[in-house]
Amino acid sequence: MLSELVHLTVTGLLIASLLALGAVGLSLTFGVARFANVAHPDFMMLGAYTTFAFNALLGLGFWPSAALGIAAALVVGVPVARIAYDTLPVTGTVQLLVISIGVSFILRHVVLFAFGSGLLQFAVPLQRPYVWGPVRLTAYQILTLVVAGLLVLGVHLLLSRTKLGRILRAMADNPVLCEIAGADVGRARLAMWTIAVGLAATGGVLFGLNLVIQPNMGWDLVIPIFAAAILGGIGNPYGAMAGALVIGVGQEWATLVIPSMYKEAIAFSAMALCLMFRPRGLWGG
Amino acid sequence: MKITRRLFLGTSLAGGAAVALPRLAGAQDPVRIGVLTPLTGGGAVYGTTMSRMYNLVADDINRAGGINGRRIQLFTEDAQTNPDAGVRGARKLVDVNKVHAIMGTWSSAVTLAVAPIAIAAGIPQFCVSSSPAITTYKDNDLLYRTAYSQANMARVYALTAQRLGFKTAGLLILNNPYGIGLGDSFPDAFAKVGGKVTGKVVYNPSQSSYRSEIQQALGGKPDVVLFGGYTPDGIQIFKEWFQLGLGGTWMGPGFAFDQKFIAGIGGQAAEGTIVVEGAPNAASSAYKHADKLFRAAHNQEADFFASMAYDHLMGVALAILAARGDSSGDAIKANLRKVTNPPGKVVGTWAEAAPLVRAGDKVNYEGASSALDYDEHGDVETDFGIYRIRAGKWALQQTIKGSDVKAG
Amino acid sequence: MIDYVVAIATIVGVQALLTLGLNFHYGLTGLVNFGHVAFYALGAYSSALLTLAGVPFLPAMAAGVLLAVAASLLVGAATLRLREDYFAILTLGFSELLRLLLINVREVTRGTLGIPGIPRPLQDLLGGSYHVFYMVLVLAALAVAYALCEVLARSPLGRTLRAIRDDDQAAMALGKDVLAFRLTSLGWGASLAAVAGSLWAHYVTYVVPDQFTPEVTFYTWMAMIIGGAGSMGGAVWGTAILVAVLEGTRFVKDVVPMIDEPRLAALRQVAIGLGLIVLTVYTRRLGGLRRRAPRAVAAAGTS
């Protein structure tokens, strides 16, 4: 029983790392741009596919492919976000919501058209795990945990120690005041999208490395990622990571009592309960 | 709303349709065969193979003058390994193309979704699906299956496990008719040969991770784990399993552990995996001819699925010939077993069979995939090959005959 | 040609019922319902299962409507107090949760096998021209629904709903039970979707969870935006235009044979995505998505 719990916890931590890379960026943009970008997890998918293109189609090694892939995802994703969300004339959040649905449709189905619906893998050799008692992790999996942790730490440092971070936090609190105070809101938004898309793309590459690549890999995570961001309190990256841990590990532990096919219901229920009873999140201010 | 051209055209009924094909009376009216196989999706490799074989057989028969002068015309629709697409394709084949038979449905979900349409139209359907439900389906004797049933497969796996010395088994099965069917039949079959199932885990396709499910299935440290899924999920599951370093031996069907699977996970992870697949009726003239046709056109040997495709079309063509060119559903039904089942002169190719059937002699078509003796449910008895993956290839270990399976 | 037109008309009819329902939710009441397909699915599955169990067509459809309304009230009671993006995400999650249940509660729904052989009402009596009869049935249902929607929209109920949509704080201050009105709207729209689902199930005679993905919901959003959110007539002709335009793409396969069905389907979805973006932004004057009263809305770039 204990070893089963350990197994589930390890799996949960891995899933949580991936969710965190999506949730932290989402929390940032949701807090600053103030709308739910349903297409955000699709930036993860974008990162996975661009890396796949360099790796499996052009034959480059995994590391160069990942670097180029994330760069390519930024080159595509940031302008898409800027155009769709920052420059189109809209009068309200509903329009942004609908636009984000449109962006998601476009991203997913362009990828589907180009790569097909099949499950894809990076061309990397399979690894044997390191074993510490009941804990079993391969080198890539350890890397995933470490990278996720470092990136989230990086975001925290950025928000708390840099001028950009101060501007972003101020925008989340009161955007109009920011503009009046002369802050370069436009550049801050550009930076915000770059961070969000970059985190997501990295998450997508790690997802593909550990699991599988398919066109709906991002869309399938919409509910868990939103749940994590909401649980953590919108605009709070550490909260988003904590939320990701709760959702990731919680879903795995839940399989002890509910059939594993209903795992996805956990994230939805957590999100619904949180919104009904504590909408600012467990760690939100 | 899944709106498609097929649905529009397909839901128009024969009736007073202004766009109906002009009815060509008499002997020149081609025999229209609907080919409904997966050309995309999880079953794409098999659907493509079968589609190719149908074309080869149709050409073969047409070159010899067709069925009493009527050429065979194929209409192909992609079932996409998806019942919804399969239904739309079937509607088009039946309502617009007015086919005399549907053949090639691969996935059990597709077969079972399409069956009511064929039955309502009074035309026979030939499938290669394995769901046990197909045996007992109330099909008005119109649904035929040339593949094994999962109910039999369960017994085959049990025999395989027994012969290889495994006493305990775990189950990791897909949440669909094929997987669930296997999960329901295997425990009893295994118990009958003295084995014990240590655990049964059901998984959904397109999950992010299968770590928990894999660990659960291997939990009771079984001698072997039976995998009831398809190649795409198989690749992902095996990758995670290998990287968990848990060890263990796997057993599963040929269509999950095919070359694409081996290429996907690499020879090292696939090494030692046990594969059970239908074995073609290699000694028959039918198989030899089918293999020759396929190699000539595609430089590849005819596998179990290609063999079944050959048998579907040959059976129907011979039945229509025996009915003196009557291609109605009733005529095919009435004559199919007359040409495929004993007694009669054993035949396997059009060249051998056609003159005899035309002369009114009784034949017994022995197929490329099996002896093709359709029982009262429209099922046949097939042989099985047990293989182990060695250095990235299937290596035949032994054969299990259909009669051994029945004995259980 | 005739068969083609009859088929399109039938499908427009079913889809327009969905659009009318969504228009009630969003156009009239301002509810950002991203889970509309759930009510459609409940109507379709209920009707299918009940008619296969011997229940006559109309009672089976009614049962589906009741189920969909009950679900909408449940979801609404839990989520209507939340701000619109949370409501949107939750309704989306709800429709996906329902799809998860449809796939996994195999004992009831037969999961991914789907439910084939759904009986068609009066099929035995009508034989050859059945498809024409069915089209008439669907269009009649649409006509009735449209009339009811127009009446409701012009009634005091409709006025209150619009007031709530535009400024719910003011409506509350005037003593209106905002939650109750929103629930009423949610229920009515859900029942229209359930009727559409039932009509769909008996038309294609086969239902499977794959048919009830969020794509259906957003297709409906697109139809509503084309005709102008808030306009009942617009919901109907917007649907007709969308279906007509997308049908043109069906024949690409004849002209450009190297595009297979799944690829073609992908292109269609890209078109819907683009359409959603373009129309959302540019149909303000055509009555597309309503202008919201400013309510601490972020400065999304320019505004």
Side-chain angles (χ1 to χ4, degrees):
Chain A
M1 174 65 180
L2 178 63
S3 81
E4 202 183 333
L5 200 58
V6 171
H7 287 154
L8 291 174
T9 308
V10 171
T11 306
L13 286 172
L14 282 169
I15 303 282
S17 324
L18 301 171
L19 290 180
L21 288 170
V24 168
L26 176 69
S27 194
L28 188 63
T29 61
F30 205 160
V32 175
R34 301 206 170 199
F35 77 100
N37 178 13
V38 172
H40 183 79
D42 291 312
F43 292 131
M44 293 178 78
M45 173 208 63
L46 194 61
Y49 274 93
T50 50
T51 304
F52 176 82
F54 285 113
N55 172 246
L57 299 181
L58 291 180
L60 297 176
F62 175 70
W63 298 108
S65 301
L68 286 169
I70 293 174
L74 284 168
V75 164
V76 171
V78 174
V80 163
R82 288 285 284 158
I83 295 172
Y85 306 129
D86 289 350
T87 49
L88 289 175
V90 291
T91 50
T93 53
V94 178
Q95 286 175 304
L96 289 169
L97 264 172
V98 176
I99 289 174
S100 76
I101 294 286
V103 170
S104 175
F105 266 54
I106 293 173
L107 286 173
R108 275 185 288 140
H109 289 100
V110 165
V111 162
L112 195 62
F113 184 87
F115 294 91
S117 61
L119 306 181
L120 303 172
Q121 300 282 345
F122 291 131
V124 288
L126 293 184
Q127 301 180 320
R128 285 302 196 178
Y130 295 101
V131 182
W132 298 282
V135 177
R136 296 167 171 271
L137 289 168
T138 63
Y140 285 146
Q141 288 163 343
I142 297 173
L143 176 77
T144 301
L145 294 171
V146 169
V147 166
L150 285 176
L151 284 175
V152 175
L153 179 66
V155 170
H156 166 73
L157 291 174
L158 184 122
L159 285 179
S160 57
R161 304 277 172 89
T162 68
K163 182 163 170 226
L164 171 65
R166 272 199 298 282
I167 297 176
L168 287 172
R169 279 183 289 137
M171 283 167 72
D173 277 339
N174 194 332
V176 180
L177 202 51
C178 263
E179 288 214 50
I180 294 175
D184 193 340
V185 166
R187 273 183 59 189
R189 280 184 82 98
L190 179 63
M192 174 196 80
W193 286 117
T194 308
I195 297 167
V197 174
L199 285 172
T202 309
V205 171
L206 291 172
F207 191 110
L209 182 63
N210 288 294
L211 302 170
V212 73
I213 303 165
Q214 45 103 0
N216 281 335
M217 62 193 279
W219 179 252
D220 287 345
L221 293 177
V222 165
I223 298 298
I225 287 179
F226 268 87
I230 286 169
L231 238 72
I234 296 298
N236 176 353
Y238 264 169
M241 186 172 82
L245 278 168
V246 170
I247 298 289
V249 177
Q251 276 190 175
E252 297 305 314
W253 283 356
T255 63
L256 287 171
V257 287
I258 62 171
S260 68
M261 44 203 161
Y262 294 116
K263 263 196 281 208
E264 291 144 47
I266 299 294
F268 176 74
S269 310
M271 179 171 71
L273 288 170
C274 183
L275 286 173
M276 288 198 298
F277 298 113
R278 205 181 149 98
R280 66 177 189 277
L282 299 179
W283 291 273
Chain B
M1 163 105 40
K2 299 272 174 161
I3 305 174
T4 66
R5 168 176 70 116
R6 281 185 206 153
L7 181 57
F8 292 141
L9 300 179
T11 51
S12 64
L13 294 177
V19 79
L21 300 166
R23 291 237 74 144
L24 299 168
Q28 299 318 304
D29 189 12
V31 171
R32 292 181 294 277
I33 303 289
V35 170
L36 186 59
T37 58
L39 298 174
T40 52
V45 171
Y46 310 98
T48 308
T49 298
M50 288 170 62
S51 176
R52 287 177 170 170
M53 183 58 100
Y54 291 128
N55 276 283
L56 290 170
V57 175
D59 289 342
D60 198 37
I61 296 178
N62 287 341
R63 262 197 305 269
I67 305 174
N68 275 356
R70 294 177 71 182
R71 42 180 284 273
I72 297 180
Q73 190 183 11
L74 299 180
F75 294 88
T76 305
E77 288 293 324
D78 179 3
Q80 299 178 31
T81 322
N82 172 329
D84 198 37
V87 163
R88 285 179 273 138
R91 283 241 95 98
K92 173 174 173 285
L93 289 170
V94 168
D95 296 334
V96 178
N97 301 125
K98 314 221 193 313
V99 298
H100 297 109
I102 291 180
M103 38 187 80
T105 51
W106 180 84
S107 137
S108 294
V110 170
T111 298
L112 292 168
V114 166
I117 298 174
I119 293 167
I123 61 174
Q125 181 185 351
F126 293 82
C127 73
V128 298
S129 311
S130 59
S131 167
I134 292 171
T135 302
T136 49
Y137 199 79
K138 285 199 174 10
D139 57 8
N140 201 9
D141 198 27
L142 284 169
L143 181 58
Y144 297 91
R145 165 189 20 214
T146 49
Y148 43 79
S149 159
Q150 284 301 329
N152 281 344
M153 209 42 178
R155 170 124 173 92
V156 175
Y157 284 127
L159 284 173
T160 305
Q162 183 194 36
R163 291 189 189 186
L164 294 174
F166 299 126
K167 296 273 189 296
T168 55
L171 277 165
L172 182 60
I173 52 183
L174 179 61
N175 185 9
N176 85 342
Y178 136 62
I180 302 293
L182 184 60
D184 289 341
S185 326
F186 182 72
D188 287 337
F190 197 39
K192 281 210 182 100
V193 296
K196 192 160 116 53
V197 167
T198 56
K200 185 161 94 170
V201 180
V202 177
Y203 71 89
N204 274 329
S206 315
Q207 260 174 231
S208 315
S209 166
Y210 296 101
R211 273 177 77 107
S212 307
E213 286 78 6
I214 295 167
Q215 285 169 324
Q216 255 182 289
L218 285 160
K221 296 224 177 297
D223 294 333
V224 69
V225 181
L226 178 52
F227 176 67
Y230 296 125
T231 303
D233 16 294
I235 292 178
Q236 197 186 337
I237 286 174
F238 265 65
K239 191 175 141 174
E240 287 198 77
W241 162 71
F242 189 78
Q243 303 203 128
L244 276 170
L246 289 172
T249 309
W250 294 81
M251 175 168 66
F255 55 78
F257 294 153
D258 55 12
Q259 281 307 312
K260 202 164 140 197
F261 167 83
I262 297 173
I265 65 161
Q268 204 196 350
E271 187 71 15
T273 301
I274 300 157
V275 187
V276 180
E277 185 51 272
N281 192 12
S284 65
S285 64
Y287 180 77
K288 296 195 171 80
H289 187 62
D291 192 40
K292 188 171 125 200
L293 286 174
F294 207 74
R295 279 183 201 268
H298 301 290
N299 204 18
Q300 231 188 304
E301 75 168 358
D303 65 9
F304 189 55
F305 288 91
S307 309
M308 289 193 282
Y310 180 87
D311 290 338
H312 290 167
L313 192 45
M314 281 297 293
V316 167
L318 287 172
I320 295 176
L321 190 62
R324 298 180 200 290
D326 183 351
S327 54
S328 68
D330 288 336
I332 299 178
K333 244 178 28 173
N335 286 279
L336 184 64
R337 289 189 185 80
K338 286 200 187 133
V339 296
T340 64
N341 293 8
K345 174 125 184 5
V346 170
V347 292
T349 69
W350 187 255
E352 286 171 3
L356 293 170
V357 175
R358 252 181 239 121
D361 292 345
K362 178 85 176 62
V363 298
N364 173 11
Y365 172 76
E366 297 277 287
S369 61
S370 71
L372 213 77
D373 296 332
Y374 287 110
D375 65 15
E376 73 270 22
H377 297 293
D379 282 343
V380 299
E381 198 178 87
T382 64
D383 294 336
F384 298 87
I386 305 177
Y387 307 81
R388 274 197 109 128
I389 299 181
R390 296 277 180 231
K393 293 214 172 329
W394 290 10
L396 182 63
Q397 308 287 291
Q398 38 180 304
T399 314
I400 295 183
K401 297 214 71 70
S403 43
D404 296 339
V405 179
K406 252 216 170 79
Chain C
M1 194 55 207
I2 298 273
D3 298 323
Y4 182 66
V5 170
V6 167
I8 293 208
T10 310
I11 294 199
V12 167
V14 172
Q15 178 66 53
L17 280 166
L18 272 174
T19 315
L20 276 173
L22 183 66
N23 194 35
F24 224 85
H25 289 165
Y26 180 69
L28 206 54
T29 322
L31 305 175
V32 186
N33 177 11
F34 275 3
H36 203 48
V37 70
F39 308 124
Y40 186 53
L42 286 170
Y45 265 85
S46 305
S47 200
L49 289 168
L50 288 171
T51 48
L52 278 169
V55 176
F57 175 63
L58 285 174
M61 181 191 276
V65 167
L66 283 174
L67 191 57
V69 170
S72 74
L73 294 179
L74 211 71
V75 172
T79 61
L80 277 171
R81 288 170 300 116
L82 301 170
R83 63 184 238 206
E84 51 202 3
D85 15 31
Y86 291 149
F87 180 75
I89 301 280
L90 281 174
T91 49
L92 177 65
F94 170 69
S95 75
E96 285 291 83
L97 185 65
L98 179 70
R99 196 166 63 88
L100 186 71
L101 288 171
L102 288 174
I103 290 174
N104 287 298
V105 185
R106 279 173 287 112
E107 308 76 29
V108 177
T109 65
R110 293 165 43 95
T112 52
L113 251 183
I115 301 176
I118 301 172
R120 290 172 147 177
L122 301 181
Q123 165 100 71
D124 309 318
L125 292 177
L126 289 160
S129 309
Y130 189 79
H131 55 312
V132 176
F133 157 73
Y134 206 80
M135 173 193 73
V136 170
L137 174 67
V138 168
L139 293 179
L142 176 64
V144 169
Y146 169 69
L148 285 173
C149 284
E150 277 287 12
V151 165
L152 285 172
R154 288 167 208 273
S155 72
L157 169 69
R159 279 198 291 280
T160 310
L161 290 175
R162 277 194 292 275
I164 291 175
R165 174 196 68 195
D166 290 337
D167 190 341
D168 57 350
Q169 306 289 349
M172 251 191 297
L174 288 171
K176 298 290 182 188
D177 185 344
V178 170
L179 183 63
F181 277 99
R182 281 177 166 157
L183 284 173
T184 308
S185 170
L186 206 55
W188 174 245
S191 55
L192 288 175
V195 170
S198 170
L199 289 171
W200 168 254
H202 295 280
Y203 181 55
V204 287
T205 70
Y206 173 71
V207 290
V208 72
D210 256 3
Q211 295 168 337
F212 302 104
T213 60
E215 265 141 34
V216 176
T217 300
F218 297 113
Y219 191 88
T220 311
W221 270 86
M222 176 87 146
M224 176 182 68
I225 296 172
I226 291 177
S231 158
M232 294 301 161
V236 177
W237 62 256
T239 302
I241 291 182
L242 179 63
V243 171
V245 164
L246 284 186
E247 280 332 294
T249 66
R250 306 287 157 192
F251 299 98
V252 172
K253 193 169 128 182
D254 297 335
V255 176
V256 188
M258 70 274 291
I259 297 188
D260 54 49
E261 275 288 327
R263 281 222 153 90
L264 206 51
L267 281 180
R268 239 172 260 129
Q269 300 301 332
V270 171
I272 292 187
L274 277 170
L276 277 173
I277 295 177
V278 168
L279 288 177
T280 298
V281 174
Y282 294 110
T283 58
R284 280 179 297 164
R285 272 172 292 275
L286 293 174
L289 300 195
R290 305 283 319 169
R291 296 185 77 103
R292 289 303 308 249
R295 192 167 64 141
V297 159
T302 59
S303 152

